[in-house]
Amino acid sequence: MENNRVHLSIENHVGIITLNRPEVGNAIDLQTAKELMDVSIFCSESEKIRAVVITGAGNKFSVGGDLKSFANEGDEISSHLKSVTAYLHQAISYFARMNKPVIGAVNGVAAGAGMSLACACDLVYASENSKFVMAYNKIGLTPDGSGSYFLPRLVGMKRALELMYTNRLLDAKEANEWGIVNHVVSEDKLMEVVLDLAGNLANGPMNAFGATKKLFYHSLQETLESQMSKESLLLAERANSIEGKEGISAFLEKREADYLKH
């Protein structure tokens, strides 16, 4: 795809999305948000892509919103931010709703909307030198990019508010302990480890992953009984799907399931 600020490459059925403004810490401006949305749509629809990785160019994941570009809008800043967040939020919605697993490879600072984007990924692997900070309240703003949705669900309400009020900066180890990060990896091994995982997931039952993702993300809005009802319906549906039949057959025949051909 011909994008300048967001780069997409495909390797072994893995869509690798790179925020590509290293000269400004991969800050998100209007064009970046729009390109991220375009890429998210492509990834959700492309049959060539079965898992997605999001990372940043250079030594940062993303410092968040491009405040300089926002301030340049003067009195039009409110309408401008509505446009930016319209694209950014639609992108995050597609990442959260797509069947493909989405893995964040946080290779440095993830601040503001950069931290929100990381929190929105299904799995997050971070380099040892990565840092996480919400940063919004420090400049008199409130979170965007799904931060107010995912952060309390990941760390709990008290810790989420602490991160917002105090702008506390978490290093990779703390972010791992708090449940924001799944694993901490050395800087030189980060992409190797993430791409190996993404490649394995791309060979897995993509539609089962997608159904599981929907179940988990919807669970906090359901009662016990309504959630179990969803579980019953999806389980029955998956068992009778091409993937389910291949998975069950492979188990009974004591062989590896081949989901790419099914």
Side-chain angles (χ1 to χ4, degrees), residues 13 50-51 99 101 197-210 238 243 257-262:
H13 299 290
R50 295 173 59 86
N99 280 346
L197 170 65
N200 287 335
L201 293 177
N203 287 319
M206 186 186 73
N207 293 317
F209 290 153
R238 297 308 312 151
E243 278 184 358
D258 188 347
Y259 293 112
L260 283 177
K261 290 184 179 178
H262 294 79

Side-chain angles (χ1 to χ4, degrees), residues 19 21-26 55-63 106-110 127 129-131 187:
L19 303 175
R21 301 184 73 206
E23 70 283 359
V24 289
N26 302 316
T55 193
N59 62 358
K60 294 180 177 68
F61 182 71
S62 173
V63 298
V106 178
N107 55 312
V109 172
S127 65
N129 65 327
S130 60
K131 302 280 191 294
E187 186 177 357

